[in-house]
Amino acid sequence: MAAPMSIDAELYPVRGARVRRAVQSARAELLDAKHAPFDQADRQSRPSAQSKATAQRYRAQLVSDRDSILALETDWQALTIRSSGSVAFQAFDLCLPWLDAYAFGSDPTHHAHILAIYDADELVGLVPLAVRRDGPVALAEWVGDPLIQYGDVLLDADCDAKAVRACLAEALKQWPLAGLLLRNVRADARVHQLLDLPGHTLGETRQAAIADLTGFGSAEDYFATFSKRSRQNRRKKRNALAKRGELSFEVVEAGPQAAELCDLALDWKLAWLAARGLSSRAFMDARALKTLKASIARSSVANPMTLFVQKVDGKPAAIEIGLTGSHGNIAFMGTYDPAYEALSAGKVQMESSILHGFEAGWAGYDMLAPMTGYKESWSTMTVDVVDYLVASSPAAWIYREGFLKIMRPTMKCIWLALPASLRSTLLRSGGGLAVL
């Protein structure tokens, strides 16, 4: 781990007693703790006498070049299946296209830092990180950011988590990092077994809306929990859309056909955002869009990317991009043809997806964070989602406390306070605070 840097020599110049006191306090905190977040993980992961033999079997390997990552494909995919929790965004078929765009492309901004952990010769843990330098601050973040909506590690359900934790702690001490920037971490994520994240939060806790389908015998039982008015509105919307033509529903797995539908869905989504002066870190990044398209185009039995298409007279009226697996479906993005906006084609598509989910045996339908009114009406449970920055240097502490916690939210508030028409104009011209 990089030694604490000199504030005066290596950070941006600052003025004012208040700022100096804050910096001195941060430096004292970090020095007194001796990089506590990482060392604490090391101390807590040290094996007991009974588990030393198990821990000695575990070894960690840093994987950072494309050929070595490709060699991991089969083991990575097998580990994803054996991992519990919502790890669909850590699938190989999503991570490799992201690395090709961000780490191995013509203008790389990240360096792959994927920690593969083995028990003897079996892959039992995978920590998919990439290092990005933001000014003087080198931070490790999830492979897939800003596209992924859940960040986590892959862990074999039967592995020794303490031994994996020890491997990660040792690796972190060797990497020259200012900290870990881990966005979109669920409260039930497995990474909590490897790192002590509470106390390092960024922003407010968000709630992901989930419809747990396991408690219902049928789709009719699930929809019966809706209010009478909601059930009536649902029928009216479907009937109104049916008046425009014959309704049909198609599930399209990853591959060439899905890639074509993805292009159409993104056209609709980007137009919808622009018309309202809204922006997204993922959808305003050309590399993220390239990653999404490339992952959906990959024909692989292990690829979780799936498209759900509501059609009118055989033509797409609404499209949902989801990630399917043992968890059910994570509804990553939903969008619709503007011609059907007044007919709520998107909500009809959601209903069709859930009807399909009961037939397919889904455990749940995850609408992600943040919570909204319509999501709340469809959900039966929530899961907290939090961003973390574990700072191991004064530079990262200032970046977290100064920029990420104060400056960035302030700039975003200013941006959102602008009239939607002005935001839309700025976005179309490539300006504004779109990536905030």
Side-chain angles (χ1 to χ4, degrees):
M1 178 164 297
M5 61 184 67
S6 167
I7 296 295
D8 295 332
E10 298 187 41
L11 296 184
Y12 296 118
V14 296
R15 295 288 188 272
R18 183 178 179 182
V19 175
R20 286 196 295 273
R21 285 197 299 271
V23 171
Q24 290 167 0
S25 173
R27 184 173 184 177
E29 171 189 338
L30 288 161
L31 291 176
D32 289 344
K34 296 182 179 179
H35 303 289
F38 298 159
D39 286 350
Q40 185 179 13
D42 185 26
R43 289 195 299 274
Q44 292 188 6
S45 62
R46 290 172 185 169
S48 62
Q50 293 83 354
S51 63
K52 282 184 178 179
T54 299
Q56 289 174 355
R57 294 202 314 265
Y58 282 66
R59 60 182 177 86
Q61 178 182 349
L62 176 63
V63 184
S64 57
D65 65 276
R66 194 176 189 277
D67 288 342
S68 297
I69 291 171
L70 285 174
L72 273 178
E73 180 175 0
T74 301
D75 289 343
W76 187 325
Q77 291 174 337
L79 180 59
T80 304
I81 295 172
R82 301 198 310 273
S83 297
S84 61
S86 294
V87 294
F89 286 102
Q90 283 66 59
F92 181 86
D93 290 293
L94 182 58
C95 290
L96 180 63
W98 185 93
L99 288 166
D100 283 340
Y102 286 80
F104 304 134
S106 58
D107 188 21
T109 55
H110 293 67
H111 182 71
H113 260 58
I114 297 171
L115 191 67
I117 301 168
Y118 294 87
D119 178 359
D121 293 326
E122 183 179 18
L123 183 68
V124 296
L126 196 78
V127 185
L129 298 174
V131 176
R132 170 180 61 88
R133 178 167 292 278
D134 199 340
V137 184
L139 298 172
E141 58 188 19
W142 298 121
V143 168
D145 192 309
L147 196 63
I148 63 172
Q149 299 303 298
Y150 291 142
D152 204 355
V153 299
L154 299 178
L155 285 181
D156 189 305
D158 296 324
C159 75
D160 184 337
K162 287 187 176 180
V164 175
R165 182 182 176 112
C167 289
L168 176 59
E170 184 61 31
L172 289 173
K173 289 192 293 184
Q174 304 301 320
W175 297 351
L177 298 176
L180 300 174
L181 178 55
L182 305 178
R183 293 189 174 94
N184 298 326
V185 178
R186 287 171 51 126
D188 57 358
R190 297 295 297 276
V191 70
H192 290 293
Q193 298 182 37
L194 307 185
L195 292 169
D196 297 307
L197 296 177
H200 304 284
T201 61
L202 286 173
E204 297 180 353
T205 299
R206 308 175 299 282
Q207 281 75 43
I210 301 171
D212 181 1
L213 306 183
T214 59
F216 302 96
S218 66
E220 290 73 19
D221 293 339
Y222 165 71
F223 286 115
T225 63
F226 287 40
S227 68
K228 182 178 180 180
R229 182 177 180 181
S230 294
R231 294 196 302 271
Q232 290 175 341
N233 287 338
R234 183 170 62 87
R235 287 192 294 269
K236 287 180 180 178
K237 290 171 182 175
R238 180 169 286 272
N239 291 337
L241 188 62
K243 290 179 180 179
R244 297 287 294 271
E246 182 181 356
L247 300 186
S248 60
F249 183 73
E250 184 179 7
V251 179
V252 183
E253 296 181 351
Q257 181 187 358
E260 291 182 8
L261 288 167
C262 175
D263 285 337
L264 177 61
L266 288 175
D267 287 344
W268 290 345
K269 190 68 172 183
L270 293 174
W272 185 92
L273 289 169
R276 290 158 179 78
L278 300 175
S279 59
S280 161
R281 289 180 62 241
F283 295 121
M284 298 305 297
D285 187 335
R287 294 175 302 171
L289 297 180
K290 180 180 178 180
T291 296
L292 181 60
K293 294 177 183 180
S295 65
I296 290 175
R298 290 177 61 87
S299 298
S300 165
V301 294
N303 192 342
M305 307 301 295
T306 309
L307 274 66
F308 303 91
V309 187
Q310 183 67 56
K311 295 183 176 182
V312 176
D313 280 343
K315 296 182 179 179
I319 299 173
E320 175 185 293
I321 298 175
L323 292 86
T324 58
S326 60
H327 56 275
N329 179 43
I330 299 175
F332 170 70
M333 187 194 85
T335 185
Y336 52 82
D337 185 335
Y340 296 104
E341 180 171 7
L343 298 174
S344 300
K347 290 184 174 61
V348 175
Q349 171 268 305
M350 287 178 62
E351 178 189 42
S352 296
S353 289
I354 290 178
L355 290 170
H356 167 78
F358 274 97
E359 295 177 358
W362 287 353
Y365 182 74
D366 189 337
M367 293 163 277
L368 300 171
M371 178 65 73
T372 63
Y374 86 87
K375 289 182 183 180
E376 186 174 12
S377 67
W378 291 69
S379 66
T380 63
M381 60 178 289
T382 62
V383 174
D384 287 347
V385 182
V386 182
D387 297 340
Y388 297 97
L389 199 165
V390 182
S392 56
S393 76
W397 187 92
I398 293 173
Y399 181 71
R400 181 184 70 196
E401 301 297 322
F403 177 73
L404 292 179
K405 285 190 175 182
I406 299 175
M407 291 180 63
R408 185 176 181 270
T410 300
M411 295 167 69
K412 188 170 184 177
C413 285
I414 293 172
W415 168 251
L416 293 176
L418 297 175
S421 58
L422 178 57
R423 294 200 309 267
S424 179
T425 300
L426 291 171
L427 287 171
R428 287 192 175 94
S429 65
L433 305 178
V435 297
L436 293 179

